[in-house]
């Protein structure tokens, strides 16, 4: 019994050491600010006395403020005395392509997971915009205003994607 226990523990330790040496493992963590727009990241960092600096840009279809952050890290440039030269600066990598490709405009293909996700969000945001605008125009209650949970769900989608109009966002924020 003791022998099997020693062999079992030895095998587990060996596998852990092997995986650590070969670098086998899951790297699923997303960088901070991933998926947010550059404008939102800049605003968030400014609120804490820090700044965002653009490190790299992919594409040129969107205005800089609408570009999506795909990577972010604190600046680590050292000055002549060995101290951080850019204390409080975050370097951000931006994707300025459209979330979903359109004729003549590059972006994610709707056949990819990312493209399907953005296409779904785009369709939902378009429906929210139309529904709320129509309902506010004729004095009825939009579907997002029928329950607290519906309002929270609509607001979450509009905030995450930033595809809803300012009028719709103001209405949804007044519900919460």
């Amino acid at each position: 019994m003791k022998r099997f226990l020693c062999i079992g523990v030895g095998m587990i330790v060996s596998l852990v050491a092997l995986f650590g040496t070969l670098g086998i493992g899951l790297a699923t963590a997303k960088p901070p600010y991933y998926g947010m727009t550059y404008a939102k990241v800049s605003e968030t960092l400014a609120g804490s006395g820090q700044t965002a600096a653009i490190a790299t840009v992919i594409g040129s279809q969107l205005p800089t403020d609408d570009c999506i952050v795909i990577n972010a890290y604190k600046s680590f440039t050292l000055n002549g005395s060995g101290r951080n030269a850019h204390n409080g600066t975050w370097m951000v990598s931006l994707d300025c392509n459209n979330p979903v490709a359109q004729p003549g405009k590059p972006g994610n293909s709707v056949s990819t997971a990312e493209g399907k996700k953005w296409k779904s969000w785009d369709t939902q945001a378009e429906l929210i915009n139309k529904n709320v605008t129509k309902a506010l125009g004729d004095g009825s209650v939009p579907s997002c205003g029928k329950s607290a949970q519906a309002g929270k769900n609509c607001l979450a989608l509009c905030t995450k994607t930033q595809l809803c109009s300012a009028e719709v966002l103001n209405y949804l924020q007044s519900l919460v």
Side-chain angles (χ1 to χ4, degrees), residues 53-74:
I54 298 172
T56 58
V57 176
I58 299 170
S60 62
Q61 299 297 311
L62 299 174
T64 303
D65 280 349
D66 295 339
C67 295
I68 304 298
V69 174
I70 55 175
N71 193 16
Y73 54 92
K74 284 190 174 183

Side-chain angles (χ1 to χ4, degrees), residues 85-130:
H86 304 287
N87 200 15
T89 300
W90 281 79
M91 305 302 291
V92 294
S93 299
L94 304 177
D95 181 355
C96 294
N97 284 321
N98 290 310
V100 178
Q102 299 169 355
K105 297 181 178 179
N108 293 308
S109 167
V110 292
S111 63
T112 65
E114 190 73 13
K116 285 177 187 172
K117 177 175 67 174
W118 274 99
K119 182 63 177 171
S120 171
W121 288 345
D122 185 48
T123 303
Q124 291 173 36
E126 186 177 331
L127 291 172
I128 290 170
N129 278 322
K130 285 180 181 176

Side-chain angles (χ1 to χ4, degrees), residues 104-174:
K105 297 181 178 179
N108 293 308
S109 167
V110 292
S111 63
T112 65
E114 190 73 13
K116 285 177 187 172
K117 177 175 67 174
W118 274 99
K119 182 63 177 171
S120 171
W121 288 345
D122 185 48
T123 303
Q124 291 173 36
E126 186 177 331
L127 291 172
I128 290 170
N129 278 322
K130 285 180 181 176
N131 179 264
V132 171
T133 303
K134 181 180 180 293
L136 293 177
D138 63 21
S140 61
V141 177
S143 56
C144 289
K146 298 208 182 219
S147 73
Q149 188 59 48
K152 286 179 184 177
N153 292 343
C154 291
L155 181 59
L157 179 95
C158 289
T159 304
K160 179 183 356 180
T161 63
Q162 298 182 356
L163 295 173
C164 297
S165 70
E167 177 187 25
V168 170
L169 271 174
N170 287 338
Y171 171 77
L172 294 173
Q173 288 169 341
S174 73

Side-chain angles (χ1 to χ4, degrees), residues 38-48:
Y38 178 70
K40 185 68 176 169
V41 171
S42 295
E43 178 184 318
T44 302
L45 289 172
S48 62

